[in-house]
Amino acid sequence: MTSLLTVRGIVKTFPGVRALDGVDLDVAEGEVHCLLGQNGAGKSTLIKVLAGAHQPDAGELTWAGRPVAFPSPHAADAAGIATIHQELDLVPGLSVAENVVLGHEPSRLGFTRLRDAEALTRGLLLRLGHPEIPPRREVGRLSAAGQQVVSVARALARRARLIVMDEPTAVLDPNEVRNLFRVVRELTAEGVSVVYISHRLEEIREIGDRVTVLKDGATVARDLPARTTPTAEVIRLMTGRPVEHAIPPPSAPPGDEVVLEVEDLAGADFRGVSFTVRAGEVVGLAGLVGSGRSEIVETVYGARRATAGTVRVRGRALRTGSVAAAVRAGMGLCPEERKSQGLLLHESVARNVSLPALGRFARAGFLGPDAESGAARAVMARLDVRPADPSRPVRTLSGGNQQKVVLARWLLHGGGVLLLDEPTRGVDVGARGEIYALIRQLAEQGVAVVVVSSEIPEVLGLADTVLVVREGRVVHTAPAAELDEGKVLDLVMGAAHV
Amino acid sequence: MSEQTTVSAEPMATEEPAAGPSPWSRLFLGGVGHNLGLVAVLALLAVVGVATADTFATTANLLTILTSASIIGVITVGATFVIIGGGIDLSVGKLMALASVWATTVATQSFGPWVMVLCALAVGAAGGLLNGLLIAYGRIVPFIVTLAMLISAQGLAERISGRRSQIVTDPTIAAIATTRLLGIPLLVYLFAAVVAIGWVVLNRTTFGRRTFAIGGNPEAARLAGLDVRRHTAALYVVSGLCCGVAAIMIASLTTTGSSTHGTLYELDAIAAVIIGGTLLSGGRGTLVGSILGVLVFTTITNLFVLNNLDTDVQNIAKGAIIVAAVLVQARARRSTP
Amino acid sequence: MSDHSRRGFLSGALGIGAVAALTACTSNAAPANNAAGAAPAGDNAEPGKPVTIGFSCPAADHGWIAAIAANAQAQAARYPDVTFEAVNPTTDITQQIAAVDTLITKKVSALVILPNDGSQLTALGRKAMDAGIPVINLDRVFDSPLAYRTWIGGDNYGMGVAAGTYIGEQLKAKGVSNPVIGEIAGIDNLPLTQDRSRGFVDALSSYGYSVGPRQAADFTAQGGQRIAANLLQAAPRLDALWNHDDDQGIGVLAAIQQAGRGEFLMVGGAGSANAMRAIKADDTVLKATVTYSPSMASSAVALARLVAQNRGMGDLVEKEVPMSLTLASATITKDNVDTYLPLGFES
């Protein structure tokens, strides 16, 4: 294997933070090189250095045998490095084809040759196994998975020699993941290299060749074989301690009191959904992206209007389409898109935590300075939000801690019904275990919990009862103990087999 | 404090900030700190003023600047609420004109000063409410709704006044602008009171807090159980009320109610809010910054009149100073994250 | 929920009540109709052949323009042989062109036009004249004499001269040497403002005086107040002040009162009824105003009738109406204010 990219001793400091502190990385031609590390380990900063968005303070980059510097994103792009960011950087108002050729439009006399762009895009999408995406469709109207595919197509259109993929499967369902992996294998067979970042160790085992592990801005291990390095070893390297991230089993059966009753609920994307959640019970919704599972919880919560059916909390029916009514009745939602739906990123942790319960800290509408910071500090300590500073802006926290902030919000509000949509998306391995333990702990305190997740082991591990959702219908309901991953996968994919 | 020590073996790679100053002083320092650029520009203007005009630093002149700032200042308080809440209100100037006209018709004046005040406030609030309902419940973008309101308010004001300046004959209202307490004009007290109330509401009430939340991330606010639509509507009522207060002030100051009042005030108010550091997209901003922005504008006008310079030069300088203030502001903020 | 609905009902009822009360407040019992004009007299008073007079002027954004429209209408009503046809006033040039075009198409007997902009409507005046419709050009003059039959308007330069002369006389009488004379102009980039200022400077210089602090406002009360408040700070002592426009003068007077100043004399401009009442009452610094009277609209309609009926002006020997009439700017003081009060326009 010839080396394509060599990174040695990269250092990058920001005011007050040493984000990278001696990173080494070797990427060979035609390999899938996996980058592992907890949130805050420096992966994102490293990617930005490779993409030319950040200039390192020290260290060397070697590209195809020659020392290089990427003073601008354009320079990195010209050298042949394409980055597919976690937050997709597509222009939602432009068409698929326009996005694919953005910045490299085929043109004659200054006029974009849209027809050529569309032909090129159609070819790339076919190659990616997505011929159903029309090149003229506005990107903003595609699903998250569809947008992901467009990003990959864009990287391919630039004839990149190295593609950096930052958590590409976070928004994909198993089918789409398989498709992506097929594309990655084709690319590497053609000599393209891929730097692959994911929290899912199983994926790394499946697709990766070698692994480099970052911790606290430095490389702690490099060029480990991806398939054979034991999981425990990888986790030890990432966290500096061996962790048990298995989900703790429930210590007691749930109570008898029915807290949440959903009866014959229907919305735009689903119908006939009924289930109950008792105090202390965890009900899991398993299903693919687009199966209607997120729509179901959002409708239960009043964030979408139901076309039929009722939702009762402790026997009292809720007004449909009113989040305020649901929150008053004691519900809380940790939404799927934490940053865009859950958090006020520029505000402090305390202000994020106190949002629904703010009235409690006010006297006749008036708040003292930092009125809620004491209460916020207490609930942050309970959830071990780090750093334990309620005045810190939420955007500076890691994904796992941001998720804890949203949980803390509802813990402080104290309603008794918690709806969790993808509670561990974008959360690193160490924090995942903590969130699992927290959910378990809340259930044991009598909270009725509904969990939605695309990760079947997560649903099976957390839930007492599992509802399998497919194409807007609940196709199966059973105690988690009676199900295994294979069976749920079969049910989830049912339509594909028929 | 029952602060639990973290049990993790690995603390996060972030340092704890040093024990900070008290919340109050942090807040004050924060308010000025965020607006260092504007404070610098104001200081610079003051230096230029003292150097070029010997009457600049007199009490009488400083009170003139504050009085000139009072009306647009009150409007800017409302505009700051709306912009932090993620909206925009283009109708402020003409809503004020409409309220001033409505409050100074022969019929209204015949009921006496209190009815005139109530009338101005009611017209302002009603205009704001209509804006708010159309934006929050009618789902029309604020730019369009308030632009339409600007045009119709102007039209209605012209219709009611017959395009004439209506003279304020009520002695109480006329006296607002001439009354001084402890040597300071009543209008300046009114201005200060509106700013103080605005500051408290924005920073010390659930209403203010929710305004930041809704402007910062309306979807997150909605999913946290806030009634985003009702709150949005309320923000425009606040802006309308400020227009009503300003209407009484301008009626007293000019002794007229007129459809020509408040022309282009919307741009002055928005410019003051933006150079004061409030994000046009909402969610972040300070009232102190907006007020400093207003003071910068009125001080410029004062300086130019004191030095007997032409209006055209004035406008060139105003534009240049807006850009300079924003540049200095941005630089100051980058160095103190 | 019942609590909510009751609150809703209450606020609804309050809202409706407030709307009703507010609506009642829009009434402006019109001040006595005092549109300037004169009853026809002499030979020309005899009704002639019936004529239709078209009229177009800018939309009012100022008491003066409002008075122009009212005066024209009132004067036309005094003639039994005149049908008055006014088009919708507008501030938009293209709309004014379109409106006048319809009058041309209707073949009115004569047109009275106060253009939004003289230059931009010259071609239109030409078109009307070519179509055989005599045009009475009011105030803002067309570029070419071919575009109008008769021009009638005020004298901006003369206004400045009148104000300067009055101030010069007064200060000379008081024996002030090196007086501080202030000026608050209208909108600076208008030729009329420049003409007024030029006349003011020229007249003052004949007394050996010059203009001190000078600022432009915008013809509104609000602008007058703002500029005057600041100008008074610039000049701790003033001997005289000329304010170009009585409408903005309301704001100027308010600012003077608010600053508690009174050591100087002030002269207004245009001749509003409001300013005349203040001069008559003699309880403010306003001692005089120099006219630029909207009564010219009444005269324009009278001229249009004469032109359309092929008559001359009674007291003149000529059998036709003159090409051009420049009105003199009168100086109204306490002594003669009663004569002019009927011509004053309401702000």
Side-chain angles (χ1 to χ4, degrees):
Chain A
M1 289 199 293
T2 43
S3 171
L4 178 66
L5 173 74
T6 312
V7 173
R8 282 292 174 271
I10 293 286
V11 174
K12 175 73 189 171
T13 51
F14 296 106
V17 188
R18 206 170 174 89
L20 295 182
D21 192 9
V23 171
D24 296 346
L25 176 69
D26 283 303
V27 182
E29 269 179 19
E31 80 160 332
V32 177
H33 196 107
C34 300
L35 202 53
L36 276 175
Q38 298 209 54
N39 282 331
K43 291 172 309 208
S44 304
T45 314
L46 178 59
I47 294 172
K48 285 182 178 156
V49 168
L50 295 182
H54 284 333
Q55 306 313 312
D57 303 326
E60 291 162 14
L61 293 179
T62 313
W63 175 254
R66 245 170 285 152
V68 284
F70 298 130
S72 68
H74 185 75
D77 190 66
I81 297 181
T83 307
I84 299 171
H85 291 284
Q86 204 172 345
E87 269 92 34
L88 298 172
D89 45 3
L90 298 171
V91 184
L94 292 183
S95 74
V96 170
E98 284 164 331
N99 266 288
V100 166
V101 300
L102 194 65
H104 302 259
E105 293 86 352
S107 61
R108 195 167 55 190
L109 303 173
F111 292 96
T112 302
R113 306 194 56 178
L114 213 50
R115 209 169 288 276
D116 291 1
E118 281 168 9
L120 172 78
T121 305
R122 197 168 292 120
L124 290 171
L125 291 172
L126 186 65
R127 186 171 152 201
L128 292 174
H130 283 274
E132 82 285 359
I133 298 179
R136 291 188 183 185
R137 173 73 53 85
E138 215 175 276
V139 158
R141 295 171 58 194
L142 295 178
S143 65
Q147 297 191 9
Q148 177 87 55
V149 170
V150 175
S151 291
V152 178
R154 176 149 86 173
L156 293 182
R158 299 195 180 169
R159 308 192 176 287
R161 295 177 66 188
L162 174 66
I163 301 180
V164 180
M165 297 183 173
D166 189 1
E167 294 222 42
T169 57
V171 293
L172 303 185
D173 65 37
N175 236 335
E176 291 164 329
V177 170
R178 231 169 292 147
N179 235 327
L180 178 72
F181 284 0
R182 186 178 54 74
V183 171
V184 168
R185 284 193 195 101
E186 282 177 24
L187 288 171
T188 50
E190 291 166 19
V192 174
S193 307
V194 172
V195 170
Y196 190 91
I197 295 166
S198 175
H199 283 120
R200 301 179 184 173
L201 291 177
E202 315 81 59
E203 288 178 2
I204 285 164
R205 297 226 181 282
E206 188 180 343
I207 192 75
D209 295 311
R210 295 189 298 169
V211 174
T212 291
V213 182
L214 296 186
K215 185 165 84 81
D216 298 342
T219 300
V220 290
R222 61 191 164 99
D223 307 341
L224 303 172
R227 283 175 193 80
T228 52
T229 309
T231 302
E233 169 73 359
V234 173
I235 289 174
R236 187 189 61 76
L237 286 166
M238 282 170 67
T239 60
R241 61 189 154 131
V243 289
E244 185 63 41
H245 76 279
I247 300 165
S251 62
D256 296 326
E257 184 206 356
V258 172
V259 179
L260 176 66
E261 283 173 275
V262 175
E263 200 179 310
D264 213 15
L265 197 66
D269 308 302
F270 64 91
R271 60 204 162 91
V273 173
S274 302
F275 61 92
T276 60
V277 189
R278 287 170 291 162
E281 187 183 19
V282 180
V283 168
L285 293 183
L288 301 179
V289 172
S291 63
R293 42 168 221 214
S294 292
E295 289 78 3
I296 292 172
V297 283
E298 285 174 14
T299 309
V300 168
Y301 191 57
R304 290 167 185 264
R305 197 167 280 280
T307 53
T310 50
V311 175
R312 288 193 200 86
V313 175
R314 297 193 180 84
R316 285 187 62 175
L318 298 183
R319 188 150 56 95
T320 178
S322 166
V323 174
V327 170
R328 265 199 304 276
M331 271 199 231
L333 170 74
C334 297
E336 184 178 12
E337 300 287 336
R338 195 162 48 238
K339 285 183 181 172
S340 66
Q341 298 182 301
L343 292 169
L344 311 170
L345 286 171
H346 292 288
E347 297 275 13
S348 68
V349 173
R351 289 183 172 205
N352 272 279
V353 168
S354 67
L355 198 56
L358 195 59
R360 225 179 286 157
F361 302 101
R363 231 173 294 153
F366 287 89
L367 294 159
D370 301 320
E372 71 274 49
S373 68
R377 202 182 282 277
V379 71
M380 283 166 75
R382 251 178 90 190
L383 300 193
D384 193 19
V385 177
R386 278 164 289 167
D389 174 7
S391 65
R392 182 176 279 270
V394 154
R395 79 188 129 83
T396 63
L397 267 54
S398 67
N401 280 301
Q402 289 183 348
Q403 185 67 37
K404 287 190 201 168
V405 168
V406 183
L407 277 168
R409 170 187 294 170
W410 298 115
L411 197 59
L412 182 65
H413 186 251
V417 184
L418 208 46
L419 311 175
L420 309 172
D421 197 352
E422 299 280 2
T424 60
R425 165 171 311 170
V427 171
D428 62 60
V429 175
R432 263 178 196 222
E434 293 178 54
I435 285 173
Y436 292 146
L438 264 171
I439 294 170
R440 182 63 71 215
Q441 192 191 328
L442 287 170
E444 278 163 10
Q445 287 163 9
V447 175
V449 182
V450 177
V451 175
V452 170
S453 176
S454 344
E455 293 187 33
I456 293 161
E458 186 168 290
V459 176
L460 288 177
L462 282 171
D464 299 296
T465 309
V466 175
L467 277 66
V468 180
V469 185
R470 192 177 71 220
E471 292 175 352
R473 306 296 299 263
V474 175
V475 294
H476 191 76
T477 306
E482 294 171 13
L483 295 166
D484 61 35
E485 198 173 344
K487 178 141 192 237
V488 175
L489 202 57
D490 261 7
L491 288 164
V492 156
M493 317 269 296
H497 291 291
V498 175
Chain B
M1 187 122 280
S2 69
E3 186 166 348
Q4 226 171 292
T5 39
T6 48
V7 287
S8 79
E10 275 290 316
M12 288 300 189
T14 42
E15 65 255 68
E16 289 281 323
S22 82
W24 283 101
S25 67
R26 195 173 65 220
L27 204 138
F28 174 75
L29 289 173
V32 175
H34 276 287
N35 295 295
L36 264 183
L38 280 179
V39 173
V41 169
L42 257 187
L44 188 71
L45 287 175
V47 169
V48 172
V50 171
T52 58
D54 41 4
T55 50
F56 179 80
T58 60
T59 318
N61 188 52
L62 297 181
L63 288 177
T64 301
I65 295 178
L66 285 177
T67 311
S68 298
S70 63
I71 291 167
I72 184 74
V74 165
I75 285 188
T76 302
V77 170
T80 306
F81 271 87
V82 170
I83 294 177
I84 288 180
I88 194 90
D89 191 348
L90 298 177
S91 67
V92 285
K94 287 306 163 189
L95 211 48
M96 177 190 80
L98 175 62
S100 82
V101 164
W102 211 318
T104 56
T105 57
V106 174
T108 317
Q109 294 206 44
S110 69
F111 290 108
W114 288 110
V115 172
M116 291 171 70
V117 171
L118 278 180
C119 175
L121 294 180
V123 170
L129 182 65
L130 190 55
N131 275 337
L133 292 178
L134 287 170
I135 290 161
Y137 296 93
R139 309 264 172 113
I140 313 174
V141 291
F143 190 95
I144 297 302
V145 170
T146 58
L147 183 65
M149 178 60 79
L150 183 164
I151 297 166
S152 348
Q154 161 100 41
L156 187 55
E158 284 174 354
R159 174 136 210 118
I160 293 174
S161 67
R163 297 193 155 111
R164 286 158 192 250
S165 303
Q166 299 176 162
I167 310 286
V168 173
T169 51
D170 184 276
T172 317
I173 297 296
I176 294 174
T178 48
T179 306
R180 283 164 182 253
L181 293 175
L182 306 171
I184 296 170
L186 194 56
L187 286 176
V188 175
Y189 286 105
L190 266 172
F191 175 31
V194 171
V195 171
I197 293 171
W199 191 90
V200 169
V201 171
L202 194 58
N203 296 293
R204 286 285 176 272
T205 65
T206 53
F207 184 86
R209 200 65 84 65
R210 287 173 182 150
T211 304
F212 279 101
I214 284 168
N217 190 341
E219 180 65 2
R222 186 175 81 98
L223 291 180
L226 272 59
D227 194 334
V228 175
R229 284 191 283 184
R230 194 171 63 195
H231 195 97
T232 302
L235 287 175
Y236 288 91
V237 175
V238 168
S239 178
L241 270 176
C242 286
C243 296
V245 174
I248 287 297
M249 292 167 73
I250 199 157
S252 174
L253 194 65
T254 64
T255 67
T256 58
S258 165
S259 57
T260 62
H261 286 342
T263 306
L264 295 185
Y265 264 27
E266 60 281 354
L267 294 187
D268 284 351
I270 292 168
V273 171
I274 301 309
I275 76 167
T278 295
L279 285 187
L280 199 47
S281 54
R284 297 174 83 186
T286 65
L287 198 56
V288 177
S290 303
I291 299 308
L292 283 173
V294 170
L295 289 178
V296 165
F297 284 147
T298 38
T299 308
I300 293 172
T301 305
N302 178 262
L303 266 183
F304 278 79
V305 177
L306 289 192
N307 285 302
N308 212 11
L309 293 171
D310 284 347
T311 335
D312 39 10
V313 190
Q314 223 173 101
N315 288 337
I316 297 170
K318 230 178 188 171
I321 288 170
I322 291 176
V323 175
V326 172
L327 277 179
V328 178
Q329 189 93 330
R331 188 147 302 185
R333 204 160 302 156
R334 225 172 296 144
S335 60
T336 55
Chain C
M1 280 301 114
S2 69
D3 181 41
H4 269 275
S5 57
R6 195 171 60 199
R7 215 165 60 192
F9 172 77
L10 268 177
S11 51
L14 277 176
I16 291 168
V19 168
L22 279 176
T23 316
C25 282
T26 61
S27 127
N28 259 323
N33 188 353
N34 66 339
D43 277 356
N44 284 341
E46 299 298 316
K49 70 168 182 183
V51 291
T52 305
I53 296 175
F55 180 81
S56 169
C57 73
D61 47 7
H62 191 273
W64 188 85
I65 300 254
I68 285 281
N71 287 350
Q73 172 108 46
Q75 186 68 20
R78 289 193 165 96
Y79 301 115
D81 49 354
V82 167
T83 309
F84 188 66
E85 198 151 332
V87 292
N88 214 16
T90 166
T91 50
D92 185 81
I93 294 277
T94 56
Q95 282 186 33
Q96 188 173 23
I97 291 174
V100 173
D101 257 333
T102 61
L103 291 177
I104 296 173
T105 319
K106 279 185 187 166
K107 285 258 163 213
V108 292
S109 326
L111 271 171
V112 175
I113 303 176
L114 172 53
N116 273 292
D117 180 301
S119 307
Q120 294 183 43
L121 260 72
T122 301
L124 186 70
R126 194 64 203 275
K127 183 176 168 189
M129 292 288 285
D130 291 349
I133 302 172
V135 174
I136 310 300
N137 180 194
L138 184 54
D139 197 40
R140 297 177 193 169
V141 66
F142 290 144
D143 282 349
S144 157
L146 297 176
Y148 56 86
R149 164 65 184 77
T150 290
W151 174 81
I152 177 170
D155 183 5
N156 285 302
Y157 179 81
M159 231 179 127
V161 171
T165 307
Y166 178 81
I167 287 174
E169 288 294 334
Q170 294 291 315
L171 295 184
K172 201 173 83 179
K174 278 198 219 161
V176 189
S177 60
N178 276 331
V180 183
I181 300 169
E183 182 183 356
I184 297 180
I187 296 170
D188 244 348
N189 51 18
L190 296 180
L192 69 93
T193 298
Q194 291 155 11
D195 289 346
R196 289 176 188 185
S197 287
R198 205 156 39 80
F200 189 54
V201 169
D202 289 353
L204 284 179
S205 67
S206 65
Y207 294 90
Y209 299 156
S210 62
V211 177
R214 179 187 184 283
Q215 286 292 317
D218 54 4
F219 288 127
T220 69
Q222 184 193 337
Q225 196 281 336
R226 182 170 48 91
I227 291 301
N230 283 298
L231 187 129
L232 290 174
Q233 292 306 319
R237 186 184 69 88
L238 269 178
D239 293 291
L241 176 68
W242 183 38
N243 162 55
H244 285 205
D245 180 73
D246 285 336
D247 252 21
Q248 81 182 15
I250 302 170
V252 174
L253 274 175
I256 292 169
Q257 212 157 17
Q258 285 145 18
R261 297 277 290 267
E263 80 278 9
F264 55 90
L265 70 92
M266 172 172 154
V267 176
S272 76
N274 198 47
M276 291 190 208
R277 284 191 288 265
I279 290 166
K280 187 178 161 106
D282 198 19
D283 55 359
T284 66
V285 291
L286 187 66
K287 299 300 177 202
T289 187
V290 291
T291 59
Y292 194 91
S293 177
S295 61
M296 65 178 71
S298 311
S299 301
V301 170
L303 290 173
R305 168 174 173 266
L306 294 179
V307 169
Q309 293 174 345
N310 275 320
R311 304 202 218 184
M313 289 172 72
D315 290 343
L316 302 187
V317 182
E318 285 75 20
K319 294 295 176 207
E320 62 285 310
V321 168
M323 265 298 282
S324 160
L325 284 156
T326 305
L327 303 172
S329 177
T331 306
I332 303 173
T333 63
K334 197 182 174 198
D335 302 329
N336 62 3
V337 65
D338 289 325
T339 325
Y340 287 95
L341 252 175
L343 296 182
F345 62 93
E346 291 298 336
S347 304

